[in-house]
Amino acid sequence: QRQLVESGGGSVQSGGSLRLSCAASGYTGSRYNRPCMGWFRQAPGKEREGVAAIDSDGRLSYADSVKGRFTISRDSAKNTLYLQMNSLQPEDTAMYYCAASAFYCSGWYSLTQSAYADWGQGTQVTVSS
């Protein structure tokens, strides 16, 4: 059974940093050799949006709003996806979700919800001014 579990959320002041982690389990077998993995967020009253992703070719994509502040990375040996978030602002406040898929994704498509089959439960990030 595939599972994604996020951690690392919390409350910080504006300008602070957080590192989110997403532990993936059950993603075994050759069909998961080139996964599509990403981070999404959803603020109250807003639609879920793609934040950062690693596509099936290993290329990184970021939403314009987080470029230069957030960094996505993956440790394949630990089956863990990370999101380092620096210079956090109140507008970054949201529930952050990890997503994964065995299907091929590339470029901008990796930042869309339709690229993903599996989702975690989310971890809350709150940034105060």
Side-chain angles (χ1 to χ4, degrees), residues 22 36-40 52-54 72 81 97-100 110-111 116 119:
C22 172
C36 185
M37 300 192 75
W39 288 97
F40 288 73
I54 302 177
I72 188 172
L81 184 72
Y97 298 90
C98 173
S110 64
L111 285 176
Y116 298 94
W119 295 83

Side-chain angles (χ1 to χ4, degrees), residues 3-5 21-28 32 35 37 74-82 98:
Q3 189 176 27
L4 300 171
V5 179
S21 298
C22 172
S25 59
Y27 290 84
T28 58
Y32 297 109
M37 300 192 75
R74 179 175 63 204
D75 187 332
S76 297
K78 295 183 178 180
N79 293 322
T80 302
L81 184 72
Y82 301 99
C98 173

